[in-house]
Amino acid sequence: SLELNPTCRRTHFDMAEIFVQEGRIEEAFQKYCDAIQVYPTFEDAHRKVIEILRGKEKPVIAGSALRKLGETLDHAVAQGVNDPGVLALQALTLIHGENRRDPNRALESGEQAASMTKWRNPLILSVLADAQAENGLRSEAITTLEKALRLPGPGGFLRAQIAECRRTALPDLPTFASIDAALGVPEVITGSDQDLLESFRAVAHGD
């Protein structure tokens, strides 16, 4: 039980999964954070926390839980933990944490995490794109997401993210040479996404 073994990361994680099934997202978030505090490089918990922080149904997360998670990750990095998941999650806490917002540090952590994974991890690239957008680097964020879309694996969350990024950046679209590059990848951008990109291309070229 949790009381008998409070340092069991899997116990925290499994409880979080139960909370998710019951729709208790804030409690699930806390338990995922507890699992990471016990074991900072716990990849499964990293992914779940990132999904919650970036989700459309993101709950009002207690500032104390996010702050404590950020402190845990900061400590791990300071102690020499060289893990891309830790760095990516640290970047998100520096974006979403009310009392620790630091877009510049978030960008540094996101870039380091992407470099460590040789730009081959879509979820980490999506975090880097968030950090780039927070720093006003919308063109770079779109380019990063286009790279992520070319990688194997599910891309639904990436397509939603890139569409939102383009909507935010619409006034600057004439400067985005990457639109044509994205349209050159029909195997990953189809259907409604293709129609959306075509409309952006028309705006970019003044059609």
Side-chain angles (χ1 to χ4, degrees):
S1 73
L2 190 57
E3 282 127 2
L4 292 175
N5 189 6
T7 62
C8 178
R9 67 182 188 273
R10 179 54 62 177
T11 300
H12 288 301
F13 185 88
D14 290 344
M15 288 187 67
E17 295 286 271
I18 292 171
F19 288 145
V20 168
Q21 293 174 8
E22 296 175 349
R24 298 159 63 183
I25 303 301
E26 292 183 42
E27 292 167 273
F29 179 83
Q30 178 64 69
K31 298 312 295 181
Y32 288 132
C33 289
D34 289 344
I36 293 169
Q37 285 158 13
V38 169
Y39 195 79
T41 59
F42 190 5
E43 184 176 351
D44 289 345
H46 292 169
R47 185 178 67 255
K48 295 292 186 176
V49 168
I50 290 172
E51 289 173 356
I52 290 175
L53 287 175
R54 299 190 61 256
K56 289 183 178 179
E57 304 299 326
K58 182 171 64 179
V60 178
I61 297 168
S64 60
L66 196 55
R67 183 175 61 254
K68 188 174 181 181
L69 174 62
E71 291 171 353
T72 296
L73 297 168
D74 290 346
H75 179 73
V77 171
Q79 292 298 309
V81 174
N82 200 25
D83 180 86
V86 169
L87 290 165
L89 191 51
Q90 180 191 45
L92 279 186
T93 67
L94 292 166
I95 292 171
H96 294 285
E98 292 183 4
N99 297 320
R100 59 181 272 114
R101 278 183 53 79
D102 190 334
N104 289 331
R105 278 186 63 207
L107 183 59
E108 290 175 5
S109 295
E111 288 176 339
Q112 188 176 351
S115 177
M116 290 173 67
T117 56
K118 301 185 184 301
W119 302 81
R120 302 293 299 175
N121 185 307
L123 188 60
I124 285 178
L125 289 180
S126 78
V127 172
L128 173 58
D130 278 344
Q132 289 169 328
E134 282 292 312
N135 281 274
L137 303 173
R138 295 187 182 92
S139 178
E140 289 86 345
I142 290 172
T143 299
T144 297
L145 291 169
E146 288 167 356
K147 290 178 181 177
L149 275 169
R150 291 178 172 84
L151 297 173
F157 72 97
L158 289 168
R159 285 190 287 272
Q161 186 181 359
I162 198 170
E164 178 60 29
C165 195
R166 285 201 173 98
R167 278 192 290 270
T168 302
L170 186 59
D172 301 322
L173 276 175
T175 66
F176 290 171
S178 60
I179 292 173
D180 283 336
L183 288 169
V185 196
E187 69 273 16
V188 295
I189 300 185
T190 59
S192 61
D193 293 313
Q194 184 70 35
D195 294 338
L196 179 63
L197 286 173
E198 289 288 2
S199 67
F200 285 143
R201 184 182 185 181
V203 172
H205 290 283
D207 296 337

